[in-house]
Amino acid sequence: MWVRAPQICAGSFARCVGLTRDPLGSVPIGSVSRSFSRCCSYIRNLNFLSTRVFHSRPLSSSQAQFLTGIRSCRTSTIRCQHTPSSHDAVLFNIERTTGIATVTLNNSKKRNPLSSSVLQRLNDIVDDIESELQASRLAQRPSNVRVLIIKSTGPVFCSGHDFKDFTMDKGRTHHSDVLAACTQLNKRLQSSCPPTIAMVDGLATAAGCQLVCSCDLVVATETSRFCVPGSRNGGFCHTPGVSLSNKIHLSKALELLLLGDDLAAVEAARLGLVNKVVDTAEALDAVVDEWATKIANTSGYNTQMGKRCFYEHTQAHGIDAQYEVASAYMLDMFASPDQQEGIDAFFARRQPVWQT
């Protein structure tokens, strides 16, 4: 059965590829004001991930033209979402030739806080990345975003929440909204994004430490430090403690939360919070670039699904449930075009060419 998306979705995309009628129906396309990004948001909300919906029955000529237009499109929706400025608190850049995207916290004068506006911007970036990943699968092309690096400017990687968001005059509703945005961001980094690398050269404290813990890999300079100091400031780092306790041993996480002491990079690596410690900023650049390039050269879709499987099976209760989760993902992987391409390339003794 052909899957019928809302007319607005088909219409928006059709205008981008030069069609004059809705390819999923017979309704003429009138207004040209609806954007391609709005189309992709509908695709995302519909969880329109699989290209198989296009192959369930023979296509009409208009449907074939629609699909051809999608597959020929190589422009990410991310391009038109935001006009960057060097004064922005968050910078976002994509190297489309490599598939490496970089988010830079860029408010070093204020120690790179996670203010409500910064959290909104970061969640918007994740929205854009999700749209690009799903659009690339729909178009059967490699994604422009295959790995995400999170870095910062200045001596503080991230100082955590902006206390201005938590004054009494802001009210409990605003406080709740800020915490929800931060929770959403940290969860989505693990569930929705391609592999993420935190590139730390400085202090990561409170929600900043939480952000680091939510990344898949962490590379830090030996002078970097990590801290959850809420108890020293008359409070407690409740939500950062969630990410921290999922990264290191519970007893050590609780020690850091109760005492609020700094954790040096070398000790953080011993505990498993940091993957690799380097001695200089130049070495930090080199290692992160090497790791990002290796990840970007893998199958985009299967690597992201492997990451998702990892987090799902580690949260499953008992070894039987863990194997059930992993086996389902592995069966899907063997049915994927990229895995079959890898097998064919192995037997033919050639380099594989990934579809995703």
Side-chain angles (χ1 to χ4, degrees), residues 47-301:
N47 204 20
F48 211 162
L49 296 176
S50 173
T51 60
R52 285 178 293 182
V53 298
F54 289 103
H55 305 296
S56 52
R57 69 170 174 83
L59 306 182
S60 68
S61 59
S62 62
Q63 289 166 347
Q65 185 183 2
F66 174 63
L67 184 56
T68 300
I70 294 174
R71 286 175 174 167
S72 65
C73 182
R74 291 296 183 268
T75 303
S76 168
T77 61
I78 296 169
R79 179 176 297 178
C80 61
Q81 294 293 321
H82 180 74
T83 303
S85 164
S86 60
H87 300 293
D88 287 350
V90 179
L91 303 178
F92 184 42
N93 178 64
I94 303 173
E95 293 293 337
R96 297 174 190 278
T97 57
T98 62
I100 299 173
T102 304
V103 166
T104 304
L105 303 179
N106 188 46
N107 191 2
S108 58
K109 289 184 178 180
K110 294 186 177 180
R111 297 162 61 91
N112 294 316
L114 292 176
S115 64
S116 56
S117 60
V118 167
L119 289 169
Q120 179 62 57
R121 174 68 180 132
L122 291 173
N123 274 302
D124 286 346
I125 288 172
V126 176
D127 282 341
D128 291 341
I129 291 173
E130 287 181 339
S131 294
E132 163 57 17
L133 291 172
Q134 295 182 29
S136 67
R137 291 168 201 157
L138 189 65
Q140 295 185 358
R141 63 166 172 81
S143 172
N144 289 319
V145 182
R146 306 170 74 81
V147 61
L148 175 64
I149 298 168
I150 300 179
K151 57 188 289 188
S152 68
T153 57
V156 176
F157 174 82
C158 180
S159 59
H161 286 297
D162 188 339
F163 283 162
K164 292 180 181 178
D165 283 318
F166 292 96
T167 57
M168 288 302 295
D169 63 292
K170 293 289 186 180
R172 188 179 180 87
T173 299
H174 179 76
H175 300 172
S176 177
D177 289 344
V178 174
L179 290 177
C182 188
T183 296
Q184 181 185 38
L185 172 65
N186 283 278
K187 290 169 64 178
R188 296 173 77 199
L189 286 175
Q190 295 185 344
S191 65
S192 304
C193 284
T196 56
I197 304 174
M199 183 176 174
V200 184
D201 185 18
L203 174 66
T205 181
C209 183
Q210 178 183 5
L211 180 65
V212 171
C213 290
S214 296
C215 292
D216 305 311
L217 300 173
V218 181
V219 185
T221 55
E222 60 185 7
T223 56
S224 296
R225 294 170 294 135
F226 305 86
C227 186
V228 278
S231 60
R232 297 203 320 244
N233 300 316
F236 200 83
C237 285
H238 302 87
T239 50
V242 175
S243 294
L244 182 64
S245 62
N246 276 288
K247 200 77 170 180
I248 66 175
H249 194 278
L250 293 178
S251 62
K252 191 65 181 180
L254 186 56
E255 175 191 325
L256 293 170
L257 288 163
L258 291 172
L259 301 181
D261 291 340
D262 287 3
L263 184 67
V266 173
E267 178 66 5
R270 190 184 69 81
L271 295 173
L273 193 158
V274 172
N275 295 91
K276 189 175 182 66
V277 178
V278 296
D279 55 356
T280 65
E282 291 74 19
L284 181 66
D285 288 334
V287 170
V288 171
D289 183 65
E290 177 189 357
W291 287 15
T293 300
K294 285 183 177 179
I295 294 171
N297 286 333
T298 64
S299 162
Y301 180 75

